[in-house]
């Protein structure tokens, strides 16, 4: 029987459907016109963003909130290069997205043709893999391989560059094609001996700490983490990427570690005798000065990526494996119960002595977030931008479940928050999605108000407006003699009017007592909403470990602890 | 510390860029890199000599292994192996000094492959030490140009650095 031949565009769509894709984010252009022609009549939902960077961030928000890969599409040249920041962001945080870019026709490649950019060359260092499809016969297999590579092992973004003529040529379509990846190994079994050593180290430890990160969320290992913590009575600290991997309201939770982490978590690191790192990469925002990080501790490091072991800190007991599998193996080797009351109480005392605190007069951002937490009963999906507001969101909105806190952590990309929230809201229409943003970050993708408005995507934007690139101003205040070089955002627009111009309801909040009613209105109104909140302009984020400093030397409200 | 890595890679477009890009992006130092196809035309072998402390070498190996086009990587520095490099060197050679140069060429078992009025091209193979020594010996005459291939290497005895791959995707 002869198989019907399909065009390249039809193959792309059929392959996406076979991979379970229901939504894509993108902007059309010359090189992807044939693809868009088919997309218009396909069952896949296409969301037209107003900038390709936002399409990439939306795909990432979709992936983070749903656990499925997000997909974005752009045309050749400027469309493709506009994706780059979003791709780099997904790379740094190990989030699976698929970027499909149009390319000039095969015969035109390499001639500086109109809207030609070597996007596979440009994105080589910020993708897990990328492909330039050179024959229609490879198209389906490449798409399948791209999804496979993006979502297995340590996930990451994958880009597929498709010349325009390939999207109109025809070929037979078989799916899924055979995978052939002799150089790619995504599954590794936890090594029995190392698991046994880890179990022994946990039993011998008096002051162990579970340090969990993004890998726990990727792996879906949150239940195993909880079981290990509870059965062995081990306090838990997290990286920012680990937020939600362990309930922050749990009595064993000690806080986020690192530069803006809690005093309890940072003190605990300085005293612990065993760190059980699960799906963490010991970022410099976490460790501070490396030589002084966890000076008394043995380190068990569980990571699916062998290259992470020993990259920053030496691991005494490395386990290269998926977190969930490794923890299951570990749990099977440990006795059922263990109590460590002294260590638990020591951490509790630190928590009581050094709680997060702020001065309550005026209109404080921390207060806004606490009220948001109360009004959403801690059940919203929070997306943030980058800056002080991001840190306040981390500190004052405890999260109890995975995939409910989305933030640009590794790259720290201003402009991430709103489009990522958009992707999350599309992926999880049953959830309340809130974007906490700053006046600087918001303006880096403010055009997405049009997307939110047009599709009525119900993102609630909480704008913590301080008239500054606040995080920069804070560093200038602390480390650069208070010379606020170009960090004041003079010339900010009237954000409420901007929102209204996009036909989005909006409210201005200028006093403390207006916070709750405005938040309530935002949450109760159907569809998107903006709350522009004029917070105390020079509020700072505390505690803070100065960059390269030691974790137990935190600055809190101007005082050294 | 110099290490010799023998790396089997898929012969896909861009693979050399990926490997070279990894070195520059992560700040590793490549001493030399030689690449060519193997007995299997869809697979190439790279011989990479890299300089760095133990921790850096470990990272180089792990990061290279993560590249999807890298099928297999072995550090063969400590295995008995034959390592060779080819050099072409063009030296000034006034007729008066040619005899002296030819003696040096003989000692190093190199060959003269081209003669011009005032210069010679000499071809030499050997390990890096020998090649360096030859280059040093010729320096007093005035070196005009040096081209070196970088090291290629093969394990001694019957052992091979095989192509058995351990990757995904034999099924589905
Ligand atoms: C302004 C600003 C301030 C910041 N301050 C802080 C701070 O105070 N504290 C802080 O913690 N962070 C902070 N960050 C974030 C920080 O930069 C890092 O992004 C973060 O610490 C990294 O988190 P992680 O270690 O969990 O690694 P991730 O980037 O989440 O990496 C995940 C790790 O898990 C592994 N992995 C993936 N999948 C699996 C699997 N299935 N099984 C096992 N392992 C797996 C990966 O190989 C990788 O090593 C800040 C960021 C910004 C922008
Ligand atoms: C794209 C980008 N450019 C610059 C920076 C450097 N940067 C980090 S935080 C920050 C200020 C953010 O300002 P705003 O969004 O208003 O947040 P605030 O700190 O005031 O809460 C800047 C400029 C960045 N992280 N990302
Ligand atoms: Mg600001």
């Amino acid at each position: 029987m002869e198989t019907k031949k399909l065009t390249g565009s039809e193959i792309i769509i059929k392959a996406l459907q076979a991979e379970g894709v229901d939504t894509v984010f993108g902007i059309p252009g010359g090189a992807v016109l044939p693809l868009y022609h088919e997309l218009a009549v396909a069952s896949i939902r296409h969301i037209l963003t107003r900038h390709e960077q936002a399409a990439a961030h939306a795909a990432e928000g979709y992936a983070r909130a749903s656990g499925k890969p997000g997909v974005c599409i752009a045309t050749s040249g400027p469309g493709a290069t506009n994706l780059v920041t979003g791709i780099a962001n997904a790379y740094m945080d190990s989030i699976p997205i698929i970027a499909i870019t149009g390319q000039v026709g095969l015969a035109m490649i390499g001639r500086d043709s109109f809207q030609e950019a070597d996007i596979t060359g440009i994105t080589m260092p910020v993708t897990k893999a990328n492909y330039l499809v050179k024959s229609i016969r490879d198209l389906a297999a490449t798409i399948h391989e791209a999804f496979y590579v993006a979502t297995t092992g340590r996930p990451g973004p994958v880009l597929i560059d498709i010349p325009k003529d390939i999207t109109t040529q025809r070929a037979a379509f078989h799916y899924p094609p055979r995978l052939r990846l002799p150089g790619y190994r995504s599954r590794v079994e936890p090594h029995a001996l190392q698991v046994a050593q880890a179990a022994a180290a946990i039993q011998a430890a008096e002051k162990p700490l579970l340090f969990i990160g993004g890998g726990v969320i990727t792996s879906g290992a949150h239940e195993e983490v909880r079981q290990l913590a509870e059965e062995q009575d081990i306090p838990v600290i997290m990286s920012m990427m680990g937020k939600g991997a362990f309930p922050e309201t749990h009595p064993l939770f000690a806080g986020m570690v690192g530069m803006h982490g809690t005093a309890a978590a940072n003190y605990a690191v300085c005293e612990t005798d065993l760190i059980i790192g699960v799906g963490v990469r010991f970022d410099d925002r976490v460790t501070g000065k490396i030589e002084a990080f966890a000076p008394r501790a043995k380190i068990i490091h569980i990571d699916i990526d062998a290259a992470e072991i020993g990259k920053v800190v030496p691991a005494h007991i490395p386990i290269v494996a998926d977190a969930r599998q490794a923890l299951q193996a570990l749990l099977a080797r440990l006795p059922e119960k263990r109590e460590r009351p002294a260590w638990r109480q020591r951490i509790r005392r630190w928590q009581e002595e050094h709680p997060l605190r702020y001065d309550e007069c005026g209109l404080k951002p921390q207060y806004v977030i606490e009220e948001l937490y109360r009004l959403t009963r801690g059940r919203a999906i929070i997306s943030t931008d980058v800056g002080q507001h991001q840190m306040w969101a981390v500190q004052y909105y405890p999260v109890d479940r995975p995939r409910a806190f989305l933030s640009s952590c590794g790259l720290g990309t201003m402009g991430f928050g709103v489009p990522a929230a958009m992707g999350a809201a599309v992926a999880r229409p049953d959830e309340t999605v809130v974007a906490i943003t700053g006046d600087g970050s918001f303006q880096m993708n403010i055009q997405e108000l049009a997307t939110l408005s047009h599709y009525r995507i119900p993102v609630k934007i909480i704008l913590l407006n301080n008239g500054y690139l606040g995080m920069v101003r804070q560093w200038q205040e602390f480390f650069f003699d208070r010379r606020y070089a170009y960090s004041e955002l003079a010339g900010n627009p009237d954000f409420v009017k901007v929102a209204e111009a996009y036909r989005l309801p909006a409210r201005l909040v200028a006093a403390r007592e207006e916070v709750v009613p405005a938040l309530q209105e935002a949450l109760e109104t159907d569809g998107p909403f903006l709350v522009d909140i004029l917070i105390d302009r020079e509020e700072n984020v505390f505690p803070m470990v100065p960059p390269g400093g030691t974790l137990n030397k935190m600055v809190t409200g101007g005082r050294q602890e | 510390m110099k290490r010799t890595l023998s790396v089997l890679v898929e012969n896909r477009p861009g693979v050399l860029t990926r490997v070279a890009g990894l070195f520059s992006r992560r700040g590793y130092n490549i001493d030399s890199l030689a690449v060519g196809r193997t007995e299997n035309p869809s697979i190439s072998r790279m011989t990479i000599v890299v300089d760095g402390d133990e921790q850096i070498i470990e990272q180089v190996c792990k990061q290279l292994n993560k590249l999807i086009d890298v099928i297999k990587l072995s550090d063969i520095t400590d295995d008995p192996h034959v390592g060779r490099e080819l050099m072409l060197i063009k030296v000034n050679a006034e007729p008066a000094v040619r005899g002296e140069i030819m003696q040096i060429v003989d000692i190093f078992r190199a060959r003269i492959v081209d003669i011009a009025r005032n210069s010679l091209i000499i071809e030499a193979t050997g390990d890096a030490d020998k090649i360096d020594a030859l280059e040093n010996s010729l320096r007093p005459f005035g070196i005009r140009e040096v081209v070196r291939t970088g090291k290629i290497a093969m394990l001694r005895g019957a052992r091979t650095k095989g192509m058995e791959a351990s990757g995904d995707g034999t099924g589905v």
Side-chain angles (χ1 to χ4, degrees), chain A residues 497-529:
Chain A
K497 277 199 182 138
V498 171
E500 283 168 358
Y502 281 108
R503 289 176 291 280
L504 221 95
R507 201 61 70 232
L508 180 74
V509 171
R512 184 184 163 97
E513 57 280 6
E514 296 164 16
V515 169
V516 170
L519 291 179
Q520 262 166 342
E521 188 186 355
L523 293 168
E524 282 161 13
T525 307
D526 282 340
F529 200 101

Side-chain angles (χ1 to χ4, degrees), chain A residues 361-382:
Chain A
C361 63
L363 206 177
K364 290 291 194 272
Q366 299 93 330
Y367 167 75
V368 173
I369 297 184
E370 282 182 334
E371 288 302 328
L372 178 70
Y373 179 79
R374 198 173 56 75
L375 291 170
T376 53
R377 289 183 296 283
R379 300 293 299 169
I381 292 181
I382 303 289

Side-chain angles (χ1 to χ4, degrees), chain A residues 18 39-40 42 58 64-65 80 129 205 213 222 264 280 300 304 311 318 342 374 397 428 472 490 495 542:
Chain A
L39 204 47
R64 286 180 184 240
H222 47 283
V280 285
I300 300 173
I304 203 163
K311 186 184 80 176
R374 198 173 56 75
Y397 200 103
R428 305 280 298 274
V472 173
F495 289 105
F542 293 117

Side-chain angles (χ1 to χ4, degrees), chain A residues 386-389 412 414 438-441 444 466 468-472 489:
Chain A
V386 172
Q388 293 180 310
H389 63 277
M414 291 169 68
D439 44 331
S441 300
M444 290 211 183
N466 50 13
Y468 279 117
L469 297 166
M471 183 61 95
V472 173
L489 291 169

